[in-house]
C-alpha cells in the first residue's frame, strides 16, 4: 500500500477504538458455507458498466492489495485491502471473499477492522497445523494472520515507528478472527516503511519465515511460534529496481525439471517498466536465513500496467497460485467505475522455466478458468493476409472471450478490438523490437489521468523458439495476454463507452494459423 500520497484524504477519525475481541459476523457457522450454486448470491449491481464479469471485484467501495490468501478445508480465502465506506483509499480493513474453485467468489463481511494500533494493512495467513502458536483449542487447527498495523496518528505526528506487525487467529475456518492480546508481535526497528509480512513454513529448520518490505529492500525474520520473531538477514539494497518503495514481498520455492529454486517477488511503486506500479522477481537460493541470487537483470512477473502487489496462496501443496491487484497507483483512485473501484487479476499458476541458461517465472491462468469457457469455435488453417475479421466467424456479442492460437513462425501480428463509435484497443507483437504490446490510446475514456493513454505498453518476448503461442483473456474492461506458455504476461484495463464486439487479426506479412480457438467466457455473477 502506498501511504504518503494519501495522507491529506484521511483524518484522525479513521482510527477505531481498540478491539481485541472476536470480529463478529452474521451467522457465525463453524465452517464457511458456500451456496450450492457458486453465484446464487449474485446481486443486480454486478451488471454495471465496466463491471468485470469473470474477475473478483468487491460489491462496492474501494479495494487494493490481495492479502492473507490461504487455502483450507476446501475453501480458498481471499482477503484484501478494503475501505468499506468510500470508493477511494482510506479507512483500511481486511475485506474477505471465499471460493471453492478459484473462479466463483462470494464476498464476506470484513475480517479485520482498525483498532488503537491503526489501520489493517497488508499481510498473510497460514494454517498452523502443528499449533506452534498455541492458539488452537479443542482440537481445532488455527488459521493465523500476520499483518501490518499502521498508525495514522503517528504518521500525522511525523513519527518513524508508524508500522508494526500484529497477529490475529481464527478457530472456525476463517469465519471470525480474534486479535492477539499482546500485539504487536514484531515492533518497528526504527524505519518508516516496515510492512506487508508474508509468512511461510520452512520445513528443513522447522520454523516460520516472514519476509517484510523495509523501504528499499526486504528483511527476513524467523519464529518458532508466530509470536516471537528474530531478524535473520536482508536482501535487495543493491539488487533489482529501485524507482520507488518496495512492498508486498513473497518467497516461494519452484521446480524446473527437478531443479528447485527460490523465487522472491517484490512489488514497487513507482518504477515499473511501463510506469507506476508493478511486481519484480528474483530467482535464487534460500537456506532458511539468507536469500542470494547471481542475477543482475531485473525481471517482472507482468509487464502490463495493471498487475500489482501480487502474492501466492499458502497451503496449496505443490501448486503456486498467484493473484494481483488489477490496477495501478497512477490512476487507481480516478478510474470511471461505480459503485466499486478495482478488480483482481485472474488467478495464475506459476512455474519455473529455463530459457538458455536463465530461469524465468511463467504465469498462466489456472486450469479452473476453463470451466467458464462456453460455445467454443475452432478455426483451422486460418490465413491472415493483411486483415481477417474474426468477429464475422464467431459470436462476440458480450465482448468477453478467450482466444488461443499459435503463430508458427515469428512475424508481426496484431488483434484489434473495436466498436461502432471508433474506440479500440490493439494487442500484438512487433518483430523489429521483439516486444508484445498493448495500445489503449483510443480505448474510450482515457482523460482521467495523463499517462493512461500512452501509445504502447511494451513487454519483451522472452521465449527463444520460432513459434509464438498466444492465450488472450478479455473481460468487460480488461485484457490479459499470456504469451509463450506464460513466459510473457501483459495486463491492462480500459474503459470503452460501448462493448468492443469487433475482432480483427492483422499482419503485415501473410501468416497461417493452424488452429485458432475462440470461446465465450461466462459471467461468474449470474445464474
Amino acid at each position: 500500500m502506498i501511504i504518503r500520497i494519501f495522507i491529506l484524504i484521511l483524518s484522525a477519525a479513521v482510527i477505531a477504538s481498540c478491539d481485541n475481541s472476536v470480529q463478529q459476523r452474521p451467522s457465525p457457522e463453524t465452517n464457511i458455507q458456500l451456496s450450492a450454486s457458486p453465484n446464487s448470491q449474485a446481486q443486480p449491481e454486478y451488471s454495471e458498466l465496466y463491471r468485470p464479469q469473470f474477475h473478483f471485484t468487491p460489491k462496492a467501495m474501494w479495494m487494493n492489495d490481495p492479502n492473507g490468501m490461504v487455502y483450507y478445508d476446501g475453501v480458498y480465502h481471499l482477503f484484501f485491502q478494503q475501505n468499506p465506506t468510500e470508493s477511494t483509499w482510506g479507512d483500511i480493513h481486511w475485506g474477505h471473499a471465499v471460493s471453492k474453485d478459484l473462479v466463483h467468489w462470494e464476498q464476506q463481511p470484513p475480517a479485520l477492522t482498525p483498532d488503537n494500533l491503526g489501520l489493517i494493512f497488508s499481510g498473510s495467513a497460514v494454517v498452523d497445523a502443528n499449533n506452534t502458536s498455541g492458539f488452537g483449542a479443542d482440537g481445532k487447527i488455527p488459521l493465523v494472520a500476520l499483518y501490518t498495523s499502521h498508525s495514522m496518528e503517528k504518521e500525522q505526528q511525523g513519527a518513524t515507528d508508524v508500522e508494526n506487525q500484529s497477529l490475529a487467529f481464527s478457530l472456525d475456518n476463517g469465519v471470525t478472527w480474534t486479535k492477539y492480546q499482546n500485539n504487536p508481535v514484531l515492533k518497528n526497528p526504527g524505519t518508516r516503511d516496515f510492512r506487508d509480512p508474508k509468512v511461510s513454513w520452512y520445513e528443513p529448520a522447522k520454523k516460520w519465515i516472514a519476509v517484510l518490505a523495509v523501504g528499499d529492500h526486504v528483511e527476513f525474520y524467523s519464529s518458532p511460534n508466530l509470536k516471537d520473531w528474530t531478524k535473520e538477514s536482508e536482501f535487495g539494497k543493491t539488487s533489482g529496481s529501485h524507482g520507488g518503495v518496495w512492498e508486498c514481498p513473497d518467497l516461494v520455492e519452484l521446480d524446473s525439471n527437478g531443479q528447485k529454486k527460490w523465487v522472491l517477488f517484490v512489488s514497487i511503486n513507482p518504477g515499473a517498466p511501463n510506469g507506476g506500479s508493478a511486481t519484480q522477481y528474483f530467482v535464487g537460493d534460500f537456506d532458511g536465513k539468507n536469500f542470494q541470487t547471481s542475477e543482475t537483470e531485473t525481471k517482472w512477473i507482468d509487464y502490463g500496467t495493471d498487475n500489482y502487489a501480487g502474492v501466492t496462496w499458502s497451503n496449496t501443496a505443490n501448486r503456486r497460485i498467484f493473484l494481483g491487484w488489477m490496477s495501478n497507483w497512477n490512476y487507481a483512485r480516478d478510474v470511471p467505475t461505480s459503485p466499486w473501484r478495482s478488480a483482481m487479476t485472474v488467478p495464475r499458476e506459476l512455474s519455473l522455466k529455463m530459457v538458455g541458461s536463465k530461469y524465468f517465472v511463467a504465469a498462466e491462468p489456472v486450469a479452473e478458468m476453463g470451466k467458464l469457457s462456453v460455445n467454443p469455435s475452432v478455426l483451422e488453417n486460418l490465413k491472415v493476409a493483411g486483415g481477417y475479421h474474426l468477429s464475422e466467424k464467431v459470436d462476440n456479442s458480450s465482448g468477453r472471450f478467450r482466444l488461443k492460437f499459435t503463430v508458427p513462425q515469428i512475424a508481426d501480428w496484431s488483434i484489434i478490438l473495436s466498436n461502432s463509435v471508433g474506440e479500440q484497443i490493439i494487442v500484438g507483437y512487433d518483430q523489429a523490437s521483439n516486444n508484445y504490446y498493448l495500445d489503449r490510446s483510443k480505448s474510450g475514456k482515457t482523460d482521467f489521468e495523463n499517462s493512461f493513454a500512452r501509445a504502447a505498453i511494451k513487454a519483451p518476448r522472452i521465449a527463444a523458439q520460432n513459434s509464438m503461442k498466444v492465450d488472450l483473456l478479455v473481460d468487460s474492461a480488461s485484457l490479459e495476454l499470456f504469451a509463450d506458455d506464460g513466459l510473457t504476461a501483459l495486463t491492462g484495463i480500459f474503459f470503452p463507452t460501448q462493448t468492443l464486439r469487433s475482432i480483427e487479426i492483422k499482419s503485415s506479412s501473410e501468416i497461417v494459423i493452424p488452429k485458432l480457438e475462440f470461446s465465450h467466457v461466462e459471467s461468474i455473477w449470474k445464474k
Side-chain angles (χ1 to χ4, degrees), residues 252-254 312 316-322 348-350:
V252 300
E253 190 176 32
L254 295 176
T312 60
T316 54
N318 295 323
R319 300 183 73 185
R320 292 292 179 263
I321 305 169
F322 179 97
R348 305 175 180 191
E349 190 105 23
L350 301 181

Side-chain angles (χ1 to χ4, degrees), residues 122-124 146 148 165 186 194-201 208-214 217-223 229-230 232-236 246-252 262-267 282 286 289 291 311-312:
S122 291
S124 55
L146 183 67
T148 298
Q165 316 315 314
L186 181 50
F194 181 66
R195 57 178 175 268
D196 310 340
K198 186 62 163 67
V199 179
S200 59
W201 178 253
W208 296 101
I209 296 294
V211 54
L212 286 91
V214 186
H217 64 285
V218 299
E219 294 181 357
F220 294 93
Y221 290 77
S222 68
S223 173
W229 293 92
T230 301
E232 297 283 2
S233 63
E234 300 180 355
F235 171 81
W246 282 24
E247 298 189 300
C248 303
D250 194 1
L251 180 69
V252 300
W262 288 88
V263 179
L264 174 65
F265 295 96
V266 181
S267 291
F282 308 87
F286 182 70
K289 181 178 178 68
F291 177 85
V311 289
T312 60

Side-chain angles (χ1 to χ4, degrees), residues 470-482:
V470 177
D471 188 353
L472 183 65
L473 279 169
V474 177
D475 202 345
S476 303
S478 68
L479 177 151
E480 290 167 280
L481 171 68
F482 303 91

Side-chain angles (χ1 to χ4, degrees), residues 324-482:
W325 175 48
M326 197 161 62
S327 196
N328 189 302
W329 280 117
N330 278 354
Y331 43 75
R333 296 160 295 165
D334 305 312
V335 294
T337 64
S338 179
W340 84 101
R341 275 207 174 97
S342 299
M344 297 299 182
T345 67
V346 296
R348 305 175 180 191
E349 190 105 23
L350 301 181
S351 61
L352 190 65
K353 299 179 184 294
M354 287 202 74
V355 179
S357 60
K358 297 180 180 180
Y359 287 102
F360 291 89
V361 176
E364 299 181 88
V366 292
E368 290 87 339
M369 285 297 301
K371 67 175 60 179
L372 296 179
S373 295
V374 296
N375 302 324
S377 298
V378 177
L379 302 179
E380 296 182 343
N381 297 318
L382 189 154
K383 183 181 294 186
V384 179
Y388 184 94
H389 287 276
L390 181 62
S391 49
E392 295 178 357
K393 302 291 185 179
V394 300
D395 176 17
N396 186 38
S397 56
S398 71
R400 299 190 308 272
F401 64 87
R402 186 171 189 175
L403 183 62
K404 302 174 74 172
F405 62 90
T406 298
V407 178
Q409 294 182 329
I410 294 177
D412 292 339
W413 58 266
S414 62
I415 299 172
I416 302 172
L417 310 179
S418 61
N419 58 26
S420 61
V421 295
E423 296 166 345
Q424 66 177 26
I425 60 172
I426 306 173
V427 60
Y429 171 76
D430 176 63
Q431 184 176 0
S433 63
N434 197 32
N435 283 326
Y436 294 99
Y437 63 89
L438 171 65
D439 185 340
R440 60 184 181 189
S441 58
K442 300 178 181 179
S443 58
K445 293 184 179 180
T446 63
D447 60 356
F448 49 86
E449 197 271 336
N450 290 335
S451 70
F452 184 82
R454 65 177 66 247
I457 299 167
K458 299 178 181 180
R461 184 170 192 256
I462 296 168
Q465 71 269 23
N466 283 333
S467 62
M468 294 184 287
K469 294 180 67 174
V470 177
D471 188 353
L472 183 65
L473 279 169
V474 177
D475 202 345
S476 303
S478 68
L479 177 151
E480 290 167 280
L481 171 68
F482 303 91

